[in-house]
Amino acid sequence: MRGAVPGAGAELGAGAGRAAASRIRAGVERGQQGQRLPHLSPVLVPPPSAFPFVSGPGLAGSESEILEQSPKSPGPGKAGDAPNRRPGHILGARVESPPGRRARLASPRPSSSSEAREELRRRLLGLIERSRVVIFSKSYCPHSTRVKELFSSLGVECYVLELDQADDGAKIQEVLLEITNQKTVPNIFVNKVHVGGCDQTFQAYQSGSLQKLLQEDSAYDYDLIVIGGGSGGLSCAKEAAILGKKVMVLDFVVPSPQGTSWGLGGTCVNVGCIPKKLMHQAALLGQALHDSRKFGWEYNQQVKHSWETMTKAIQNHIRSLNFGYGLSLREKAVAYVNSYGEFVEHHKIKATNKKGQETYYTAAQFVIATGERPRYLGIQGDKEYCITSDDLFSLPYCPGKTLVVGASYVALECAGFLAGFGLDVTVMVRSILLRGFDQEMAEKVGSYMEQHGVKFLWKFIPVMVQQLEKGSPGKLKVLAKSTEGTETIEGVYNTVLLAIGRDSCTRKIGLEKIGVKINEKSGKIPVNDVEQTNVPYVYAVGDILEGKPELTPVAIQSGKLLARRLFGASLEKIYHTLFWPLEWTVAGRENNTCYAKIICNKFDHNRVIGFHILGPNAGEVTQGFAAAMKCGLTKQLLDDTIGIHPTCGEVFMTLEITKSSGLDITQKGCG
């Protein structure tokens, strides 16, 4: 921190600070039986550029009266006073006040000036007693604005009294001087403790003592509620809990139109990266069997793939991951509630479980991590008869002859492994493959797939899906039209898999009730460079962010770093871990036998000087890291690098446990 800024608040020594706090506490106790300040509505102070709320007025009236105000206009030539303001405006926020009224002390008045002063003192102490944060401010003071912005970024509701806009503001400041020995504004109290001025508040924030003080006697049920139990949400929740915060995770999967649902862990674990790669591995094993004959393997029996055996094994593994995530949350004292979260008012959320029972919770801060769900075509028969990636990986029967609609990476990956199982697969492409990717590479991917049996229907889109026969699978007729003319075609398939994109799950969680802005077209949430939405106490991570990569490792890292920014950074040392390669899970090979370790020079910015890996593809993994080490790889650079998921090498991007700590390094899940 820089030195004290003129006007930013008096510098109090440790002794003076303790004495002031003692005087406040004693004064609060003495003032319990006296008249209290009138009730002031709490004001969440947002950044000045978006002030939608009104700062608290001056001290006036009895307990039942509403305080009203109009700011003073300084006389000509009075240096240091507030500039002229139109009555009824504070920092751009409209104040509806009757004309001619100013904040003032209401009758009955004490009989003498000394009694009046003591009465004001008691009422000030009553306000401090009842309020989590009180900021005595002046509307034109830049140091006061900095403090308001700080509490806004922390999502903390404050009582703000603008002393320049109340007739008794000068008297209030005199009494505050007697209580705190501080002449300047801002003058800040947190949970009945005098923090000081601007400099002292920022020093307390940098040291972490302000955050600790804010948690005492919190007005909320939780410090943090995370809505969404996917990669980003779980990462953020667990990190916040490690940093000592009271955290809740709300996670509820609305069943797909085909009735598919799943457990804790989000898209990646349940219907994304993990089952996709395991099915891809199954297809590769079939190819390896074919290749093995050329390596001398001889077998006569016919090789046949069982869809049911594969999906059962994959779903068993996923359920073990779901259990592991739940266990990890319990170990870190994170409350997990399997309910649908929806904002109902500021800092308050409604949680509805599968039985329709509603419970309400409050929190100082929220993180939205609700992810995305597959998009449908909006044509006749799509939701009734088609499936998406939400359904494919737990489909209880082999899909048979399959039409994949779409040209995204999800579409091509699914088409690839389905063809690898020997199924008849056709991909219907509206325009080009892999829009947004390097098109030279995209064309090579398409050409390779065609050479290996995948058929493509170019420049067509479905317009209707009809059921011809029920069954597992049944038969579906698809009518499609050309995107370049009037031509139409028909085809009969057992399964139609839609992979045409995903929509953000943000439109039905009550964001409009608290003013969180979304992109109306995409549903995505714009955030600043620290994942903060336009509502200061609400943050977002993962695929719902506008203009951010839709990748699991990005969400994991973002969630973890967000928690550290909000609640304090953790130390960086030397790390190691055991891990379980995904390829070993379904095959039932040993867990927690593969090992990763790095050795860092603590006196050289934690530069990596040793690298160890025991596991599959160790040579390939080490070769890449060797080049990075020659370029000066540090632990921080590893932490800042997004892992390639799911691979063995990504474990080095998520190392958290030091060998000297003696903590358990066994793995219970992905991410």
Side-chain angles (χ1 to χ4, degrees):
M1 286 290 295
R2 295 180 297 175
V5 180
E11 296 289 340
L12 294 180
R18 286 193 295 270
S22 297
R23 288 196 297 271
I24 292 164
R25 289 194 175 99
V28 168
E29 292 168 3
R30 290 194 303 269
Q32 290 303 303
Q33 304 303 319
Q35 184 182 2
R36 291 167 38 166
L37 283 168
H39 178 73
L40 303 177
S41 298
V43 177
L44 176 64
V45 184
S49 60
F51 256 82
F53 301 102
V54 180
S55 300
L59 302 170
S62 65
E63 182 69 22
S64 61
E65 286 186 276
I66 299 173
L67 290 182
E68 298 161 338
Q69 64 181 29
S70 59
K72 290 184 177 181
S73 298
K78 292 184 67 176
D81 279 347
N84 287 319
R85 296 177 181 272
R86 289 173 54 194
H89 283 76
I90 301 176
L91 295 175
R94 183 72 183 169
V95 182
E96 299 297 340
S97 301
R101 290 289 302 274
R102 290 183 185 274
R104 65 185 185 277
L105 288 169
S107 58
R109 294 177 180 272
S111 59
S112 68
S113 60
S114 61
E115 290 178 358
R117 196 176 190 87
E118 184 59 29
E119 172 67 13
L120 179 57
R121 179 189 181 93
R122 284 198 301 268
R123 293 168 64 191
L124 279 173
L125 293 172
L127 174 62
I128 295 165
E129 164 72 16
R130 296 192 314 276
S131 307
R132 188 182 182 198
V133 176
V134 181
I135 301 176
F136 295 98
S137 169
K138 291 187 178 178
S139 59
Y140 56 85
C141 172
H143 307 296
S144 298
T145 300
R146 286 186 63 208
V147 168
K148 295 171 193 173
E149 290 175 345
L150 173 62
F151 283 104
S152 169
S153 70
L154 296 174
V156 175
E157 289 184 348
C158 307
Y159 287 115
V160 180
L161 295 180
E162 303 289 6
L163 301 181
D164 59 313
Q165 303 200 2
D167 283 345
D168 48 358
K171 294 179 181 178
I172 295 171
Q173 197 160 5
E174 290 175 6
V175 174
L176 285 173
L177 176 60
E178 294 174 2
I179 296 173
T180 66
N181 198 33
Q182 178 180 325
K183 296 180 179 180
T184 57
V185 294
N187 202 334
I188 298 114
F189 296 82
V190 176
N191 281 330
K192 297 176 279 189
V193 174
H194 182 236
V195 176
C198 180
D199 285 350
Q200 292 94 335
T201 302
F202 274 89
Q203 288 164 4
Y205 172 67
Q206 294 294 335
S207 70
S209 60
L210 178 63
Q211 295 90 320
K212 184 177 180 180
L213 186 59
L214 282 167
Q215 296 309 312
E216 297 179 4
D217 301 320
S218 175
Y220 303 110
D221 300 328
Y222 291 90
D223 300 314
L224 175 69
I225 290 180
V226 177
I227 308 171
S231 300
L234 292 179
S235 174
C236 184
K238 290 188 288 186
E239 188 70 15
I242 289 171
L243 294 168
K245 303 305 167 186
K246 187 179 181 183
V247 183
M248 170 181 279
V249 170
L250 290 172
D251 184 65
F252 185 87
V253 180
V254 177
S256 75
Q258 298 300 324
T260 307
S261 188
W262 52 85
L264 190 62
T267 296
C268 172
V269 167
N270 293 282
V271 291
C273 311
I274 300 302
K276 176 192 68 181
K277 184 170 181 179
L278 290 173
M279 287 195 172
H280 179 70
Q281 175 69 9
L284 290 178
L285 289 173
Q287 181 65 48
L289 283 172
H290 177 77
D291 293 346
S292 68
R293 294 183 184 274
K294 297 180 180 179
F295 286 85
W297 289 98
E298 299 178 0
Y299 48 89
N300 297 320
Q301 67 272 27
Q302 182 181 2
V303 176
K304 182 181 178 182
H305 179 260
S306 170
W307 177 274
E308 292 79 7
T309 300
M310 176 191 68
T311 53
K312 181 179 179 180
I314 290 174
Q315 290 305 309
N316 285 341
H317 174 62
I318 289 173
R319 280 191 285 272
S320 74
L321 295 179
N322 299 150
F323 177 81
Y325 287 125
L327 179 61
S328 179
L329 291 179
R330 287 195 296 274
E331 289 174 344
K332 294 175 174 60
V334 175
Y336 163 54
V337 177
N338 183 208
S339 294
Y340 188 90
E342 180 183 357
F343 286 98
V344 292
E345 60 185 65
H346 281 289
H347 291 279
K348 188 174 185 179
I349 200 163
K350 177 176 70 176
T352 307
N353 66 17
K354 61 183 179 182
K355 296 180 180 179
Q357 297 169 331
E358 298 176 353
T359 309
Y360 294 85
Y361 303 99
T362 61
Q365 298 181 91
F366 291 83
V367 171
I368 304 170
T370 48
E372 298 180 311
R373 298 292 291 272
R375 186 177 302 146
Y376 283 80
L377 289 164
I379 62 172
Q380 180 181 331
D382 62 345
K383 291 186 177 180
E384 293 87 349
Y385 308 123
C386 300
I387 67 170
T388 68
S389 56
D390 277 359
D391 312 293
L392 177 64
F393 301 111
S394 59
L395 200 66
Y397 53 83
C398 180
K401 183 180 179 180
T402 302
L403 173 67
V404 179
V405 180
S408 63
Y409 67 87
V410 173
L412 299 189
E413 287 172 342
C414 292
F417 65 66
L418 291 175
F421 300 146
L423 303 181
D424 184 336
V425 179
T426 301
V427 178
M428 184 177 288
V429 183
R430 181 182 62 178
S431 54
I432 60 174
L433 297 180
L434 301 173
R435 182 178 301 278
F437 287 72
D438 183 292
Q439 282 303 294
E440 182 180 20
M441 300 301 295
E443 290 173 5
K444 290 183 181 298
V445 168
S447 176
Y448 180 87
M449 293 180 69
E450 283 187 307
Q451 293 172 17
H452 287 76
V454 177
K455 298 181 284 256
F456 286 85
L457 284 173
W458 299 94
K459 307 295 178 67
F460 277 92
I461 57 172
V463 293
M464 184 173 63
V465 179
Q466 292 179 317
Q467 186 180 61
L468 300 179
E469 294 180 12
K470 294 182 179 180
S472 301
K475 284 188 178 180
L476 302 172
K477 182 172 76 173
V478 179
L479 176 66
K481 69 174 183 179
S482 171
T483 60
E484 296 183 331
T486 59
E487 181 184 1
T488 61
I489 58 173
E490 290 184 356
V492 177
Y493 305 91
N494 299 119
T495 300
V496 177
L497 171 64
L498 303 182
I500 57 172
R502 300 173 67 82
D503 291 320
S504 298
C505 300
T506 58
R507 299 186 190 275
K508 297 181 180 180
I509 60 173
L511 295 181
E512 72 283 356
K513 295 176 183 175
I514 59 170
V516 173
K517 295 179 181 177
I518 66 171
N519 183 312
E520 290 301 329
K521 182 177 180 180
S522 67
K524 289 184 176 288
I525 301 177
V527 295
N528 60 18
D529 56 1
V530 291
E531 281 84 38
Q532 188 180 41
T533 71
N534 65 296
V535 174
Y537 65 89
V538 179
Y539 297 78
V541 295
D543 292 356
I544 58 173
L545 298 188
E546 186 174 56
K548 304 290 184 180
E550 297 180 5
L551 298 169
T552 295
V554 172
I556 293 172
Q557 187 79 336
S558 296
K560 185 182 301 181
L561 294 177
L562 173 58
R564 291 178 181 176
R565 282 195 299 271
L566 291 176
F567 304 119
S570 59
L571 297 176
E572 296 178 349
K573 295 181 182 180
I574 301 171
Y575 295 91
H576 71 152
T577 190
L578 295 167
F579 66 96
W580 195 13
L582 185 62
E583 298 90 329
W584 289 17
T585 56
V586 170
R589 299 180 67 178
E590 302 88 343
N591 188 5
N592 292 305
T593 57
C594 296
Y595 181 63
K597 178 173 68 174
I598 58 171
I599 302 171
C600 303
N601 184 343
K602 293 192 293 184
F603 301 102
D604 186 14
H605 306 289
N606 273 336
R607 184 168 59 87
V608 179
I609 58 175
F611 179 94
H612 304 265
I613 181 170
L614 175 63
N617 307 310
E620 285 81 358
V621 173
T622 304
Q623 181 64 72
F625 281 99
M629 289 171 63
K630 290 180 70 68
C631 295
L633 178 67
T634 65
K635 178 63 171 65
Q636 187 62 54
L637 286 172
L638 282 175
D639 290 346
D640 293 343
T641 301
I642 299 301
I644 300 173
H645 183 73
T647 65
C648 292
E650 70 172 326
V651 70
F652 290 96
M653 315 307 163
T654 58
L655 293 174
E656 295 182 320
I657 300 175
T658 64
K659 191 171 184 180
S660 61
S661 71
L663 296 175
D664 181 19
I665 59 172
T666 58
Q667 299 299 297
K668 301 179 179 67
C670 169

